[in-house]
Amino acid sequence: LIIAILSIVLLIPTMFKEMNNIGPMINKLTESIEDFFLTSNIGNSTFLKFLYEDGKEKISSFINSFSGSIVGYIITFSENIMSFAVVPVITYYFLADDEFIWNKCSLLIPIKKRELVKKIIKDINPDIIHIQMPLSAIVILILKVVNMIPNRTKIFFTDRGILDKYSSKVKFLFKLLAFRIDRIICTTNINAKLWRSYIENKDKVITIGNMVSDKFGEYDKNKFKRNNSGINIGFVGRITQVKNWGLAYDICKSLHKKIDMNVFCATSAFSSDEVIEQKEMHEKFVELLSSDKYKFFIDLTQQQISEFYYNIDILIITSDFESFGKTAIEAMSRSCIVITTDNYGTPEVIDNPNFVFDKNDIDGITKKVIELYNNKELLEKEKNNMYVRYLKNYDRRIIIEKHEALYE
């Protein structure tokens, strides 16, 4: 082990030095070949010129690909041993040239804002910098390492994703720079557990859930639009593959001849392909259920979505993956039952295994909805339970108080 560590300590500086020599060497080789073509008769041949240009392009592409692969292999190889040798060596290189590192990191900042960001960091000297995007966090942490951000400034990172879903390179950088993070705030205990198993200082990791928009306001039960003869079911989300809208359709297809139900659907689409898919999907639902029984809404504002949930008794989340499941707490804040697939984050949010199903268990979801449809007392009881869980764990006042305590 000692020999391996010493080898890496000596190898990495050498690799850095040699990698710096590759660029000039390639440029010199290219210039020599071009001079040869210009001073010889061979350069007059159109065919040979084509071969030369094509070959130069392929060689350049190969070098770029090869360099990327080498860096990838180094990172993968280093992940398991970096705590022994790589961290001190890389840190040394970070500290060696802070201005160089700043110049490179600033490329990730829009040109018009670079000087402003630099001025804020140097002149305002903030007590806390709180970041919510992984790549932004990495940039800020590198700036902290090279002393572009003062030591007294604390770095907080809220991870609204899932650590396991990040690429190996991003995870490697977080592990490398974790000693500079003062707090890692996760939105679920599942993700907090992953972070604690990944970094050395487990006490840095805490859990604070998401909260609904301030547009939601207080719950008003008088606004609920009851379906006296049946039940109202809702689906909410963006038109993407991960939301699994095919499952939503299959559930409605399984239910629509068994119970009296109205279906409300709120969707959003960003790309042109998503807009086309959204239109086709809504047409498919109307054909299945009729326009009287199916109502759809597109690109609702936060104020409008806060009113949308008053239409439904049950929100069904069909996603393959949710890091948290914000739509769940939105629905719970309006006293809606949430039935969800086992998609990572949402089961923890609702904390009721009776409403969590495998994404292929259409029959199980159908039976649960029918059970609630046939037992109105149970329906109201579970709706209230969901609302109480929201009030105790995800109400805006509670989440804000936790953040205020964090900043103290």
Side-chain angles (χ1 to χ4, degrees):
L1 178 63
I2 293 172
I3 293 172
I5 293 171
L6 289 174
S7 298
I8 292 165
V9 170
L10 295 172
L11 179 63
I12 288 179
T14 304
M15 287 173 59
F16 279 15
K17 183 178 179 181
E18 293 305 319
M19 286 171 72
N20 284 332
N21 292 331
I22 290 175
M25 182 180 71
I26 292 170
N27 289 336
K28 191 171 182 179
L29 178 62
T30 304
E31 288 172 6
S32 298
I33 294 172
E34 286 181 350
D35 287 341
F36 173 73
F37 264 79
L38 289 172
T39 57
S40 67
N41 292 328
I42 296 175
N44 296 326
S45 170
T46 305
F47 175 69
L48 290 175
K49 275 185 180 178
F50 169 77
L51 286 180
Y52 167 68
E53 292 297 334
D54 190 58
K56 187 169 71 171
E57 214 172 289
K58 282 183 166 54
I59 290 171
S60 176
S61 176
F62 168 76
I63 289 170
N64 288 336
S65 175
F66 179 73
S67 301
S69 298
I70 289 296
V71 172
Y73 288 138
I74 291 170
I75 288 177
T76 302
F77 175 70
S78 301
E79 282 177 340
N80 296 325
I81 54 173
M82 66 164 212
S83 57
F84 297 107
V86 178
V87 172
V89 178
I90 297 293
T91 302
Y92 168 78
Y93 278 94
F94 279 156
L95 295 173
D97 196 346
D98 59 342
E99 192 62 29
F100 174 78
I101 297 294
W102 163 255
N103 290 336
K104 295 301 180 186
C105 288
S106 66
L107 295 176
L108 298 173
I109 303 170
I111 295 174
K112 293 181 180 179
K113 297 181 180 179
R114 285 178 194 170
E115 286 305 314
L116 177 62
V117 171
K118 193 171 183 178
K119 185 177 179 62
I120 288 173
I121 291 173
K122 286 193 169 183
D123 296 349
I124 296 180
N125 195 12
D127 295 322
I128 297 171
I129 297 178
H130 196 153
I131 319 120
Q132 300 189 54
M133 298 297 291
L135 293 181
S136 299
I138 288 170
V139 171
I140 292 296
L141 290 169
I142 291 174
L143 294 178
K144 181 78 179 283
V145 167
V146 300
N147 296 322
M148 292 300 298
I149 295 175
N151 284 328
R152 63 175 293 277
T153 300
K154 293 183 178 180
I155 307 296
F156 292 176
F157 169 52
T158 293
D159 183 14
R160 300 193 183 280
I162 293 288
L163 180 63
D164 273 2
K165 296 295 181 180
Y166 296 145
S167 70
S168 59
K169 295 177 179 62
V170 170
K171 289 173 69 176
F172 169 78
L173 288 170
F174 268 124
K175 195 163 191 174
L176 181 70
L177 299 165
F179 72 103
R180 282 299 192 180
I181 303 180
D182 295 280
R183 277 286 183 269
I184 297 172
I185 302 101
C186 300
T187 56
T188 61
N189 290 319
I190 297 172
N191 196 33
K193 185 177 180 180
L194 293 173
W195 274 101
R196 290 190 185 103
S197 67
Y198 194 67
I199 64 173
E200 291 184 10
N201 192 338
K202 297 169 176 42
D203 294 335
K204 292 182 177 183
V205 184
I206 62 172
T207 303
I208 300 178
N210 280 331
M211 63 182 181
V212 299
S213 164
D214 59 355
K215 301 295 183 183
F216 273 67
E218 297 294 329
Y219 169 58
D220 183 356
K221 63 180 181 180
N222 294 319
K223 286 186 176 183
F224 176 66
K225 302 172 179 65
R226 186 177 303 279
N227 179 357
N228 292 320
S229 62
I231 197 168
N232 294 343
I233 295 171
F235 299 93
V236 177
R238 181 180 167 187
I239 302 296
T240 59
Q241 186 175 356
V242 74
K243 296 298 183 182
N244 199 354
W245 287 102
L247 176 59
Y249 179 83
D250 289 340
I251 291 169
C252 289
K253 187 176 180 180
S254 175
L255 283 168
H256 87 286
K257 289 185 178 179
K258 297 174 183 175
I259 61 174
D260 177 13
M261 68 175 186
N262 293 323
V263 176
F264 295 81
C265 193
T267 61
S268 60
F270 297 159
S271 70
S272 56
D273 288 343
E274 289 175 4
V275 170
I276 293 170
E277 186 179 345
Q278 178 175 246
K279 182 176 181 295
E280 292 174 348
M281 187 195 79
H282 288 313
E283 289 174 351
K284 193 175 177 182
F285 271 95
V286 170
E287 185 180 349
L288 173 70
L289 302 171
S290 83
S291 57
D292 292 334
K293 293 292 185 179
Y294 178 73
K295 305 295 181 185
F296 66 91
F297 306 84
I298 295 174
D299 295 334
L300 296 181
T301 64
Q302 284 296 299
Q303 180 64 53
Q304 290 169 331
I305 198 72
S306 72
E307 298 293 324
F308 168 86
Y309 288 106
Y310 284 117
N311 291 303
I312 63 177
D313 297 291
I314 303 171
L315 173 72
I316 302 179
I317 297 177
T318 56
S319 306
D320 294 331
F321 171 77
E322 293 284 351
S323 58
F324 178 83
K326 191 178 177 183
T327 53
I329 60 170
E330 289 177 347
M332 291 161 68
S333 77
R334 294 297 183 250
S335 191
C336 299
I337 292 172
V338 177
I339 295 176
T340 181
T341 50
D342 190 3
N343 58 30
Y344 222 116
T346 313
E348 180 181 318
V349 172
I350 66 172
D351 193 33
N352 189 333
N354 293 323
F355 295 102
V356 179
F357 296 87
D358 183 87
K359 66 179 181 179
N360 297 314
D361 191 6
I362 297 172
D363 186 54
I365 296 172
T366 300
K367 287 179 179 178
K368 178 56 67 176
V369 173
I370 292 173
E371 178 189 3
L372 295 167
Y373 171 81
N374 289 329
N375 190 337
K376 291 298 190 286
E377 185 178 341
L378 177 64
L379 176 72
E380 294 303 319
K381 176 185 174 182
E382 294 297 354
K383 288 178 68 172
N384 185 65
N385 287 342
M386 290 278 179
Y387 180 59
V388 170
R389 173 159 176 78
Y390 162 78
L391 289 177
K392 288 183 177 180
N393 296 277
Y394 301 108
D395 183 79
R396 282 182 57 82
R397 286 163 293 202
I398 292 175
I399 303 301
I400 290 171
E401 284 175 6
K402 287 183 178 180
H403 276 96
E404 288 175 344
L406 177 69
Y407 294 143
E408 290 174 359

